[in-house]
Amino acid sequence: MIIAVDGPLASGKGTIARALSAHFRLPHLDTGTLYRAVAVAVTDAGAQPEDVAAAEAAAGSLDIRAIDETRIRTAGAGVAASIVAAHPGVRAALVALQRDFANQPGGAVLDGRDIGTVIAPHAHVKLFITANPEVRASRRHAELIHRGEQIGFDQVLDQLRQRDARDASRADAPMMKAEDAVELDTSELTQGDAIRAAIAIVEGRRGSA
Ligand code: DC
């Protein structure tokens, strides 16, 4: 069974994808880490994320075993990831890896922006996780503060709105709810409730498949 979990940042998609992976005993890939790692590699090379050639080179030589979890989780890496992710050459370089992961025997859970639409349009279950911008910004702000970053709530909300707009408006594989995806709004849900709701959706879809 392939489960596609898409949605904007801090919607809860990562938490839900990890919980589905544990519950259904499926391997999980957080595809945002790939774009974040490319962004960090571009910056390390002394280039800007807007630099298409530098971003494509970084994507082409990405070593997923060498991804530094701490460095890719900063607010800056998230903003830069959203910029490199808009370059079609970067997306093309990362497609095969993601598709191979999705199509491994037994299935997988992948979360991102274009899993249900581009990476695994044949996924058995597709979830599109949402929450209102203020709720998402306050979750992400708490997470960044917990990681030791000095950043204000307004700046996080600002970055979130800009990233939403960039991710949803890019020409290549924009963030979009697949037609056959089930939308889950986590704005008013506790983490536990959101996970239970997602499991119920997957069970329902699996039953009817
Ligand atoms: O989910 P995240 O915040 O870690 O993602 C970082 C950026 O990577 C996001 O702003 C857009 C990009 N991304 C993408 O374009 N496609 C994906 N499948 C996953 C992430």
Side-chain angles (χ1 to χ4, degrees), residues 75-76 79 151 154-164:
V79 172
I151 189 165
D154 288 346
Q155 194 185 343
V156 174
L157 181 59
D158 231 43
Q159 286 183 355
L160 179 143
R161 289 191 197 282
Q162 283 174 26
R163 273 178 63 187
D164 279 358

Side-chain angles (χ1 to χ4, degrees), residues 13 31-32 35-36 81-82 85 91 112-114 163 167 170:
K13 68 182 187 315
T31 62
Y35 295 94
R36 286 171 177 267
S82 164
R91 306 200 70 82
R113 304 290 189 289
D114 62 341
R163 273 178 63 187
D167 293 347
R170 66 177 174 235

Side-chain angles (χ1 to χ4, degrees), residues 45-104:
Q48 297 296 317
E50 289 81 2
D51 183 333
V52 176
E56 287 180 356
S61 59
L62 182 70
D63 178 359
I64 57 167
R65 290 158 308 181
I67 292 178
D68 180 341
E69 266 298 317
T70 310
R71 293 190 62 215
I72 65 165
R73 293 294 156 205
T74 65
V79 172
S82 164
I83 296 170
V84 299
H87 304 318
V90 168
R91 306 200 70 82
L94 302 175
V95 163
L97 186 160
Q98 297 174 79
R99 289 207 174 127
D100 287 351
F101 192 92
N103 295 325
Q104 64 187 289

Side-chain angles (χ1 to χ4, degrees), residues 1 3 19-26 109 198-200 202-203 206:
M1 172 168 63
I3 306 176
L20 291 174
S21 150
H23 185 85
F24 293 101
R25 295 176 196 277
L26 293 168
V109 181
I199 290 173
V202 175
E203 295 280 16
R206 190 162 67 158

Side-chain angles (χ1 to χ4, degrees), residues 11-12 15-16 19-20 127 129 139 183-202:
S11 55
T15 303
I16 287 172
L20 291 174
L127 292 167
I129 314 297
R139 289 175 186 162
E183 187 164 336
L184 176 61
D185 186 335
T186 66
S187 304
E188 310 276 325
L189 302 181
T190 63
Q191 213 174 78
D193 287 343
I195 289 168
R196 277 186 286 279
I199 290 173
I201 291 168
V202 175

